Amino acid sequence: MAITWLLANLLHPVVMLFYFNDPALPTTVGEIGSVLQVMVYTMIFSLPSLLLSLLAGYLLSLLQAPVITRFLLWLIVAPLIAVLNFVLLTLVLTGGSFAFFEIQFGVPAMIAVVIVVLLRYNSFLKIFSIKNEEQDETKTA
């Protein structure tokens, strides 16, 4: 789950460029430095998402369901964690005011999370197939 968080944070600025249709790609050293600064800030501000995703991953591992069902739940829950983090961060930084139209600024994060979760499908299957085998061994012992 932590690698998914890291990859989504790395993909987030790229998705923002395409989502907001900004044709000015960073070309100079100063602009690339600004992008790196934004990436560091997004990683810091998305730490609650990392913690919530670790909790969600643990809860999914406890779930007695087929792996594909767990993956579909993860595909739904992961973007919701990203938007929840965005809303809570906005509420904290603005002193409690939040307008619904501001959700559009959290959409690139959700898109980045969905892309990374889909790309990491095989890793998800490996992780949860190993956990299923461990649970089966403890039940028979």
Side-chain angles (χ1 to χ4, degrees):
M1 305 301 162
I3 294 173
T4 303
W5 171 81
L6 178 63
L7 292 173
N9 274 304
L10 294 175
L11 185 63
H12 185 225
V14 176
V15 173
M16 281 180 61
L17 286 173
F18 287 111
Y19 183 77
F20 292 116
N21 201 15
D22 189 4
L25 294 173
T27 54
T28 65
V29 174
E31 291 174 347
I32 292 173
S34 297
V35 170
L36 291 176
Q37 185 178 9
V38 168
M39 287 175 68
V40 169
Y41 285 135
T42 59
M43 285 187 182
I44 292 169
F45 289 140
S46 69
L47 283 174
S49 289
L50 173 63
L51 298 175
L52 284 174
S53 68
L54 291 174
L55 175 65
Y58 174 72
L59 293 175
L60 284 174
S61 71
L62 296 177
L63 188 64
Q64 297 295 325
V67 178
I68 190 68
T69 305
R70 294 181 197 184
F71 178 75
L72 291 175
L73 283 172
W74 179 238
L75 190 59
I76 294 168
V77 168
L80 292 178
I81 289 173
V83 78
L84 176 67
N85 185 45
F86 174 76
V87 169
L88 292 177
L89 184 65
T90 304
L91 288 173
V92 168
L93 294 178
T94 61
S97 65
F98 181 77
F100 185 72
F101 73 88
E102 293 173 346
I103 268 304
Q104 70 178 342
F105 297 112
V107 171
M110 293 174 62
I111 293 171
V113 167
V114 168
I115 290 170
V116 171
V117 167
L118 290 173
L119 288 174
R120 293 191 39 84
Y121 174 70
N122 288 333
S123 298
F124 187 90
L125 290 179
K126 287 179 187 175
I127 290 170
F128 281 97
S129 64
I130 291 171
K131 288 186 180 183
N132 282 345
E133 290 173 5
E134 290 174 0
Q135 288 176 353
D136 291 341
E137 289 176 5
T138 58
K139 286 181 183 177
T140 57

